Amino acid sequence: MSSVNLTKTSKFLSLVLRHEPEAIGLTLDANGWADLDELVRLANADGKPVTRELIEQVVRDSDKQRFAISEDGARIRANQGHSIEVDLELAPLPPPATLYHGTATRFAKSIRKLGLVKQSRQHVHLSSDQATAIKVGSRHGKALVLTIRAGEMNARGLSFYQSANGVWLTDAVAAEFIDWP
Ligand code: HQG
């Protein structure tokens, strides 16, 4: 299978499992799971020629492990990144002392004023390494890596979660917890 096809399928899965299941008439349960056979059927009915095998390959090979298939193979969900409200049943976890957030320089002024807000997603996304933050930030423009004093936030009672694919999540980051380069 060509990588173009895999990327296209991954983007399609992100769309229907994180943002717009209704685009193909799919429904997710409260925890974000979709029936895999139903997803394949509805996708094909909508002119997206995907197969269960192709989806399984995307899930297996995804560089960021964006999706998970249930143990019985019947269901699929996105590990993080949702804009629709789903409960991923993540337990709060003490974060490392510092985490990183990749953004773009054009957002700096607003972030200095408001801190980090989750915009359309369910959480603010943070990474434990700077290289990931640079990649995430570059999607929006000239990358800017902010250092987040996560340990201090946690000590003040703010919760952190880690998605199944290792992304750190929190509700918001007040400006006082952000160190600038
Ligand atoms: C910015 C990808 C102005 C924030 C990535 C970011 C990630 C503000 C943008 C995942 C702001 C939101 C999420 C404020 C935050 N003023 N701008 N007060 N507060 N922002 O795409 O973190 O490849 O919703 O800095 O790898 O970029 O899709 O979030 O630039 O893990 O799996 O608002 O998406 O994963 O952008 O990316 P996004 P994100 P996938």
Side-chain angles (χ1 to χ4, degrees):
M1 185 50 63
S2 79
S3 63
V4 176
N5 244 334
L6 291 173
T7 303
K8 244 175 120 175
T9 304
S10 178
K11 290 197 169 177
F12 169 69
L13 290 176
S14 286
L15 174 76
V16 296
L17 295 174
R18 290 171 167 180
H19 309 298
E20 275 181 46
E22 69 277 10
I24 57 165
L26 185 69
T27 42
L28 309 185
D29 73 10
N31 306 124
W33 293 103
D35 184 278
L36 184 46
D37 288 335
E38 190 190 6
L39 191 161
V40 170
R41 186 172 56 74
L42 290 170
N44 280 281
D46 195 52
K48 309 278 181 323
V50 297
T51 59
R52 176 181 259 271
E53 291 67 35
L54 176 60
I55 290 175
E56 284 170 352
Q57 190 183 351
V58 169
V59 173
R60 211 172 34 238
D61 297 352
S62 162
D63 52 345
K64 290 172 70 180
Q65 294 295 305
R66 291 183 176 89
F67 313 102
I69 291 180
S70 60
E71 270 179 32
D72 62 3
R75 298 175 304 155
I76 182 170
R77 77 173 175 186
N79 282 327
Q80 39 74 222
H82 299 81
S83 56
I84 47 179
E85 211 170 301
V86 299
D87 177 6
L88 294 174
E89 302 167 292
L90 300 174
L93 198 69
T98 50
L99 285 169
Y100 301 96
H101 177 82
T103 187
T105 49
R106 65 193 167 98
F107 298 142
K109 196 171 163 198
S110 167
I111 293 173
R112 280 189 193 276
K113 203 159 86 190
L114 303 173
L116 291 172
V117 296
K118 56 192 174 185
Q119 314 277 32
S120 63
R121 302 200 196 241
Q122 280 200 303
H123 296 100
V124 170
H125 289 222
L126 306 167
S127 62
S128 54
D129 66 297
Q130 299 194 41
T132 300
I134 292 171
K135 270 194 228 157
V136 172
S138 305
R139 293 161 42 252
H140 301 287
K142 186 170 184 299
L144 167 68
V145 175
L146 305 175
T147 302
I148 311 304
R149 297 198 305 282
E152 205 178 311
M153 286 177 66
N154 197 227
R156 298 242 213 126
L158 298 160
S159 294
F160 286 78
Y161 309 87
Q162 198 174 26
S163 67
N165 61 338
V167 177
W168 283 95
L169 305 167
T170 194
D171 278 342
V173 179
E176 58 175 307
F177 299 113
I178 301 175
D179 289 335
W180 292 76

